[in-house]
Amino acid sequence: MSAPNSLFVRAAKAQPTERTPVWFMRQAGRYMPEYRAIRKKYSLIEICKKPEIAAQVTIEAAEILKVDAAIIFADLLLPLEVMGLPFHFAAGGGPKIEKPIRTMQDVAALRSDRAADLGYVSEAIKIVCKHFGDKLPVIGFCGAPFTLASYMIEGGSSRNYVFTKTMMYSAPDAWSELMGKLVSVTAQYSAEQVGAGADTIQIFDSWVGCLSVEDYRRCVLPHVTKLVKSLQKTGVPIIYFGTDSATLLPSMKETGAEVIGLDWRIPLDTGWQSLSFKGSVQGNLDPVLLFAEWEQLKPRAEEILRRAAGRPGHIFNLGHGILPETPVENVKALCDFVREHSAEFKK
Ligand code: CP3
């Protein structure tokens, strides 16, 4: 941990803070001209694999926005490569996994002994931690086993997750083995990020909301719980984020994660109440509101702070990542607003 007494870490532990900490998923991304300038020189994967550049992108975004935490610049899919599944980003499109996995044999061939080859991410974290010292916490992250499996099996983004769910329903042994391997790799990878100085790990389960509660509980919850418990041994608080997750929230809390990320579809207090107000929550402004005028945006940000009602343990964020065409000025204005006015909602 590099900034154990920061607002962000205290809020993640549901301790009282004088104001609400704020950061944004995808705070370094295409909406930002400084990022686009670096992307002219390097591909996304090149940035991830050059620790100096990944650190620069991470630091620049955090300093431009004046957020309360820096998220390391990396991609969710990096572990696929060390497991034996090469992928690339098609020009202007999403990720493409070259040979998606579909059978038990495919799962059996995946490697789970090369997490150390992702050491470039930890190297970048070390540089960021050195830069910020105890002034700003650093967020490490990994994909959750379901969301990573969905990319490995579908071969890219998906609408209905037909191949993923088919393996889950029809080949439970292959599914369990796959979940086990993903938990093993992401646990090692994330522990290394903490060793390098990360103050938390956020587990992204971006697409888990396509599951029924029953399927989530049977096929996913035991595996994420194992990952969370393993990471908690490192001593940092864990953030577990999903979208479309309103019905899953109480089950997600059973993983033991200190912070649950809420998307924008559920009112913040309703989501928090479904967790019996235990632990912390992060969220949850609709990222598309950042395309609106400040006079529409401001009351919606106030509404979220009002719903948090000054309870200890709210981290302000969007309900999902910043979208590519988002006006930077609005992101800055929102961040300034939370920094300057959130204390008024604590009374
Ligand atoms: O600032 C940050 O939040 C840190 C960086 C970060 C990236 N990806 C960089 C990136 C993080 C946290 C991620 C996580 C990630 N990657 C997720 C989970 C988060 C979520 O959105 O739910 C997922 C599903 C991925 C896989 C992935 N990578 C997709 C689907 C895409 C989009 C492809 C596209 O063209 O929009 C990416 C590309 C990607 N990863 C970008 C960034 C900044 C897009 C910009 C670029 O191409 O340079």
Side-chain angles (χ1 to χ4, degrees), residues 61-140:
E63 291 183 342
I64 289 168
L65 298 176
K66 304 197 212 82
V67 280
D68 295 302
I71 179 163
I72 190 63
F73 191 88
D75 195 78
L76 203 73
L77 301 179
L78 297 171
L80 270 56
E81 190 181 47
V82 303
M83 294 180 77
L85 289 187
F87 66 92
H88 62 272
F89 286 92
K96 287 269 167 288
I97 286 75
E98 282 154 30
K99 284 176 71 187
I101 55 169
R102 296 284 157 81
T103 65
M104 183 58 167
Q105 285 85 335
D106 294 339
V107 174
L110 293 173
R111 296 188 60 162
S112 52
D113 57 345
R114 291 199 298 170
D117 291 358
L118 297 166
Y120 52 85
V121 175
S122 304
E123 288 310 310
I125 290 178
K126 282 183 198 160
I127 300 169
V128 178
C129 290
K130 193 165 168 217
H131 176 86
F132 287 123
D134 64 0
K135 300 284 183 294
L136 205 74
V138 178
I139 300 170

Side-chain angles (χ1 to χ4, degrees), residues 31 65 290 294 297 326-336:
Y31 77 105
L65 298 176
L290 289 169
W294 179 244
L297 176 52
T326 303
V328 182
E329 291 316 310
N330 281 352
V331 184
K332 286 188 191 158
L334 174 61
C335 195
D336 291 349

